[in-house]
Amino acid sequence: MGDLVPEKSHKFQFDKSTRELAERLIKNYLSAHIGNITLAVSLMLVVAIATGVQVKMLEPAINEVLGKGNRDLAMVLPVLFFAISVVKGFASYGQTILMQKTGLRVVVALQNQMFHRIVDADLAFIYKGATGKLISRFTIDLLFLRDAVTKAFTGIGRDLIKVLVLVAVMIHTNWQLALMVIFVFPASIWPIVYIGKRMRSIADQTQQRLGGITSFLDEVFKGMRQVKADGMEAFERRRAAEEFETVFALHYKAGKTRSRTYPIMEIMIGIAGSGILGYAGYRVIAGDNNIVMDINAGQFVTFFLAMVVAYQPVRGLANLNASLQQGMAAAERVFSMIDYKPKIVSRPDAIALEVKKGEVCFKNISFAYEEGKQALSSINLLAPSGQTVALVGPSGAGKSTILNLIPRFYDADHGQINIDGVNVCDATLDSLRAQISLVSQEVILFNDTVRANIAYGCPGAKESEIIEAAKAAAAHEFISELADGYNTEVGERGVKLSGGQRQRISIARAMLRNTPILLLDEATSALDSASERKVQQALGRLIDGRTTLVIAHRLSTVTNADLIYVLNEGRIVEQGTHSSLLAEDGLYAQLCRIQFEDNTALGGDRATSQQKTSTSANKA
């Protein structure tokens, strides 16, 4: 998976052979459909035998019907030929749909496994890779893998059986001529295997680039507003052209490599056919028009036709090997994701967390997203039960990181986080996160109804509860004015709603969950003044009696907090109440003065701002 796969899995991924990957597919996935596969193989055998019988029927048709004028056989053979064709057609249909169903079932199983793995994956794993690349595993890679199962595995079985039956027909017709053919075809194995290896390499490069294109398109489409705002359409067109050209070159290279099987197989069949025809011509010139190695005209035509018909599945085997290699390249990437093991999991002896008070305590916490880049250093923080604790500081100070560690989106490198005296790492993930609600400045809404988005964390919520939560979040009024009210589809990422509307639905979702611990990350950042006042009142009701950690760049939203921690460069540099921190005239007081000055620069009431600044300075 490239940058999406941990290093250990990445090394393991490319050391796997086609045989090992095929064995894993067969053992873990195809074996569950052994009934369908057995029936499909039986039908393949029927098709192969029917083909062989039809070819063999030419011998009596030429010798008896055309040569001797056998009227009875002349009437029987056409009927028999038609009947065999009907059986052959239905058998081909049956084996095709059975293997299609099997292949699609395997794909569904793999999709479910990959999705489960991603849902359970650590956020660090998810954020390392682009969304488009993850999506490509479910679409492009599994498309190749499906073809490998439904076409390659099926085709190899079908064509191999057909070749064996037709070889048997040739041996039965004339074993001496059969030897000439049998020893020619194996000569094509080495170049076919070589071509398959080349296809494996090209397929892996192609699939990586296709994943890159998916990621590129996802990025550009989601950022189209910015693209147009900055006039970057021409730039993005050039980027797209380069991406498409790269994939074109890889596809073209794959097509050329795959097509090399055609001249190889044509040469092989040419050698065998010209050898047989040359020998037959030699015997005719020698004066024996009817007998070639003790073979009559009907047998000779039957043999030659069997050889020509066998050529098609042999060539098919060569092409299917290329498809198989493409599928195995996809399988490597799919299995690398399935083999990924998340680090943040519930311990075997984890307990179900029951929060009665809601006290949150950080003890000497240190954490780094990347080695050498410390995000938090020696954090000691206490959020007393039922109180509101605000986290303040410049961007990158570590405020959001503190919130991320409480529900174990990440695990601290050092130290311990306790909730009511219980280490969060000793609690099951489900029970831990069931006690916490998060409202983030980056609102996440799903392409569903307003009702479904509010009830996302509480799927069994009653209609009255949903409406009550919406009212408390100052969202009910605008929801009622939507075309379909609570049944209105919000669009992808809530694109049909304004930023403030999206934020209020997110707050309503948290209110409905009604958890003892609240994490508010810029919960009112996208609201206008009127809505903010309403939501602040609603949050006041929600916060009452609950432990709340709130991040706010608007310092006016945290002035009533019971306790404020001021962070800078991953460390707590100040703590206290709003008034006590202003009196210290430290970083917090400086941030307050900067915000008042910014408000003035943005066209606010200068006199009022100066008065506030003066007041703050006097208090300091």
Side-chain angles (χ1 to χ4, degrees):
M1 282 187 61
D3 56 347
L4 298 177
V5 184
E7 290 183 6
K8 291 182 179 179
S9 295
H10 192 275
K11 184 176 186 301
F12 176 68
Q13 171 187 357
F14 288 99
D15 287 341
K16 286 183 177 180
S17 67
T18 300
R19 177 182 173 185
E20 290 172 331
L21 289 165
E23 286 177 352
R24 181 171 179 179
L25 274 172
I26 292 169
K27 180 180 178 181
N28 297 344
Y29 301 95
L30 291 173
S31 61
H33 307 280
I34 191 64
N36 283 343
I37 293 173
T38 301
L39 181 55
V41 171
S42 300
L43 292 173
M44 291 176 196
L45 185 59
V46 170
V47 172
I49 292 173
T51 302
V53 170
Q54 285 182 321
V55 171
K56 191 65 177 175
M57 286 173 63
L58 283 174
E59 183 179 337
I62 293 172
N63 292 338
E64 296 297 324
V65 177
L66 298 180
K68 300 179 180 179
N70 188 325
R71 294 187 176 183
D72 293 336
L73 202 56
M75 296 178 64
V76 171
L77 285 178
V79 176
L80 185 59
F81 191 92
F82 175 76
I84 293 173
S85 296
V86 172
V87 171
K88 181 179 172 183
F90 279 105
S92 296
Y93 169 78
Q95 63 91 14
T96 299
I97 62 170
L98 284 170
M99 289 309 297
Q100 281 282 348
K101 181 180 180 181
T102 299
L104 292 172
R105 278 293 171 200
V106 168
V107 167
V108 169
L110 288 167
Q111 284 175 325
N112 279 316
Q113 280 192 307
M114 283 200 299
F115 189 78
H116 292 169
R117 191 64 74 205
I118 288 179
V119 169
D120 294 336
D122 304 332
L123 283 182
F125 174 83
I126 301 295
Y127 291 157
K128 279 183 181 178
T131 304
K133 290 184 179 180
L134 288 174
I135 293 172
S136 73
R137 302 295 171 268
F138 290 87
T139 53
I140 298 167
D141 286 337
L142 283 178
L143 178 65
F144 283 120
L145 191 52
R146 184 201 66 191
D147 286 346
V149 173
T150 59
K151 294 180 181 178
F153 282 127
T154 303
I156 288 171
R158 180 193 63 226
D159 291 344
L160 187 60
I161 293 172
K162 189 177 291 186
V163 168
L164 292 175
V165 169
L166 290 169
V167 167
V169 169
M170 286 187 277
I171 292 173
H172 181 266
T173 303
N174 188 284
W175 66 269
Q176 295 100 325
L177 288 178
L179 289 177
M180 187 182 299
V181 175
I182 291 170
F183 283 114
V184 168
F185 283 124
S188 63
I189 292 177
W190 181 84
I192 288 171
V193 171
Y194 171 76
I195 288 171
K197 289 181 179 179
R198 290 281 298 153
M199 282 300 301
R200 177 75 161 270
S201 174
I202 296 169
D204 186 66
Q205 295 176 53
T206 303
Q207 285 157 226
Q208 288 192 43
R209 292 310 307 164
L210 287 172
I213 281 185
T214 306
S215 179
F216 164 74
L217 294 175
D218 178 71
E219 179 182 67
V220 172
F221 292 159
K222 286 181 179 177
M224 192 57 71
R225 184 184 183 192
Q226 194 66 44
V227 171
K228 291 183 177 298
D230 293 338
M232 296 296 286
E233 292 92 340
F235 171 75
E236 296 299 348
R237 281 194 288 266
R238 287 194 299 272
R239 285 180 65 198
E242 290 172 2
E243 292 283 351
F244 299 150
E245 192 66 28
T246 301
V247 173
F248 160 78
L250 287 168
H251 276 304
Y252 183 59
K253 187 177 182 181
K256 288 197 299 182
T257 302
R258 182 194 294 269
S259 298
R260 290 174 188 170
T261 60
Y262 293 109
I264 291 172
M265 296 312 303
E266 291 292 347
I267 290 170
M268 293 299 105
I269 194 68
I271 292 172
S274 61
I276 293 169
L277 289 173
Y279 186 78
Y282 166 75
R283 293 303 299 265
V284 170
I285 293 171
D288 189 352
N289 296 330
N290 295 318
I291 304 297
V292 179
M293 277 190 177
D294 298 325
I295 186 172
N296 56 44
Q299 291 173 326
F300 179 76
V301 172
T302 298
F303 181 91
F304 198 82
L305 182 61
M307 182 191 69
V308 172
V309 173
Y311 155 73
Q312 188 64 33
V314 170
R315 189 178 71 174
L317 287 170
N319 288 328
L320 289 169
N321 181 53
S323 296
L324 180 62
Q325 295 304 324
Q326 284 183 312
M328 292 304 100
E332 286 177 338
R333 297 154 72 81
V334 169
F335 286 145
S336 70
M337 180 182 286
I338 291 174
D339 291 339
Y340 167 76
K341 302 295 182 185
K343 295 178 181 179
I344 299 176
V345 295
S346 298
R347 294 174 178 173
D349 58 346
I351 62 173
L353 180 64
E354 295 182 9
V355 176
K356 296 181 180 179
K357 295 181 179 180
E359 180 185 86
V360 179
C361 180
F362 280 60
K363 294 183 178 180
N364 199 32
I365 291 293
S366 294
F367 174 76
Y369 289 102
E370 297 178 13
E371 189 173 349
K373 296 182 179 180
Q374 204 72 11
L376 296 176
S377 299
S378 302
I379 296 293
N380 289 286
L381 179 153
L382 177 66
S385 172
Q387 293 191 16
T388 298
V389 173
L391 304 176
V392 175
S395 297
K399 304 182 296 296
S400 294
T401 301
I402 288 177
L403 294 195
N404 284 335
L405 294 178
I406 297 173
R408 291 189 68 197
F409 294 155
Y410 299 87
D411 274 343
D413 299 327
H414 302 286
Q416 182 174 313
I417 301 173
N418 293 338
I419 296 179
D420 284 353
V422 178
N423 187 340
V424 294
C425 293
D426 293 332
T428 61
L429 281 175
D430 288 343
S431 66
L432 169 66
R433 292 169 182 172
Q435 309 298 324
I436 300 169
S437 291
L438 170 65
V439 179
S440 175
Q441 58 182 328
E442 183 184 356
V443 179
I444 303 298
L445 296 184
F446 301 94
N447 191 10
D448 206 333
T449 64
V450 171
R451 176 186 290 101
N453 273 284
I454 294 175
Y456 187 73
C458 304
K462 298 178 182 177
E463 181 76 7
S464 58
E465 294 171 332
I466 294 172
I467 293 174
E468 191 62 32
K471 288 180 178 179
H476 178 71
E477 184 176 349
F478 85 78
I479 293 173
S480 300
E481 294 173 355
L482 296 174
D484 296 316
Y486 283 82
N487 292 320
T488 301
E489 298 276 347
V490 302
E492 185 178 357
R493 300 175 68 88
V495 69
K496 296 180 181 179
L497 304 177
S498 70
Q501 291 172 336
R502 290 196 295 269
Q503 191 70 281
R504 280 179 275 174
I505 288 178
S506 178
I507 293 170
R509 180 190 296 162
M511 289 179 168
L512 184 62
R513 279 175 60 81
N514 196 26
T515 58
I517 298 173
L518 302 174
L519 306 179
L520 306 177
D521 185 356
E522 288 289 348
T524 62
S525 63
L527 301 181
D528 54 55
S529 298
S531 296
E532 183 178 2
R533 283 196 297 270
K534 294 178 182 178
V535 171
Q536 287 289 3
Q537 293 172 358
L539 287 176
R541 293 192 297 271
L542 181 65
I543 288 170
D544 186 31
R546 292 175 172 81
T547 305
T548 304
L549 283 88
V550 55
I551 296 173
H553 293 294
R554 292 183 189 175
L555 298 183
S556 61
T557 63
V558 298
T559 54
N560 295 324
D562 298 297
L563 183 61
I564 300 172
Y565 287 93
V566 184
L567 288 92
N568 191 28
E569 296 182 351
R571 295 180 181 274
I572 294 176
V573 294
E574 299 174 16
Q575 66 183 76
T577 62
H578 173 69
S579 57
S580 67
L581 290 173
L582 284 178
E584 289 182 15
D585 196 21
L587 179 60
Y588 182 80
Q590 180 184 349
L591 293 172
C592 285
R593 286 193 291 269
I594 291 173
Q595 284 205 5
F596 292 140
E597 290 171 2
D598 288 345
N599 288 340
T600 301
L602 290 172
D605 187 340
R606 182 178 297 272
T608 302
S609 296
Q610 288 175 343
Q611 183 180 356
K612 289 180 178 179
T613 305
S614 176
T615 302
S616 298
N618 291 334
K619 287 183 178 180

